[in-house]
Amino acid sequence: MCIVEAKVIGAMEMVDEKEHDDKIIAVAGNDMSVNYINELSELPPHTLVELKKFFEDYKTLEHKNVIVEQFMNKEKHMKLFLKV
């Protein structure tokens, strides 16, 4: 087990087997290679493509249907999260 201080930069909205299953996207707070990133838009362009593909592929291996609907910045995700 490992505990890492992290900074939320956004979220990925997805539907897993017809249930909402949002994923929080964060960077390691003490890792100099990523801790300067504050928003999803600051990630390298291929990173969001890789995240989407990873979740779609690993759910397929579990014979589950998943739909990645959108990526949200942290402000939009927090507004939706706090309404729940």
Side-chain angles (χ1 to χ4, degrees):
M1 182 172 177
C2 180
I3 297 174
V4 176
E5 183 180 317
K7 176 173 45 170
V8 175
I9 62 169
M12 181 177 66
E13 186 178 19
M14 75 183 223
V15 177
D16 183 357
E17 292 293 305
K18 299 182 183 177
E19 292 187 25
H20 244 68
D21 187 18
D22 292 354
K23 303 296 184 196
I24 294 172
I25 301 171
V27 295
N30 294 316
D31 183 341
M32 293 179 1
S33 68
V34 293
N35 67 1
Y36 64 91
I37 298 172
N38 296 302
E39 299 288 335
L40 288 176
S41 61
E42 297 173 9
L43 289 170
H46 66 279
T47 304
L48 296 180
V49 174
E50 288 176 346
L51 280 171
K52 180 179 186 288
K53 186 73 173 151
F54 171 81
F55 280 96
E56 290 171 342
D57 286 352
Y58 104 83
K59 289 295 185 173
T60 299
L61 293 172
E62 294 179 349
H63 306 289
K64 293 182 177 179
N65 184 33
V66 65
I67 299 168
V68 175
E69 293 187 330
Q70 68 175 329
F71 289 93
M72 297 177 278
N73 64 33
K74 61 186 173 188
E75 288 80 16
K76 182 176 180 181
H77 182 257
M78 289 305 292
K79 284 179 186 175
L80 293 173
F81 181 75
L82 293 174
K83 286 183 181 180
V84 176

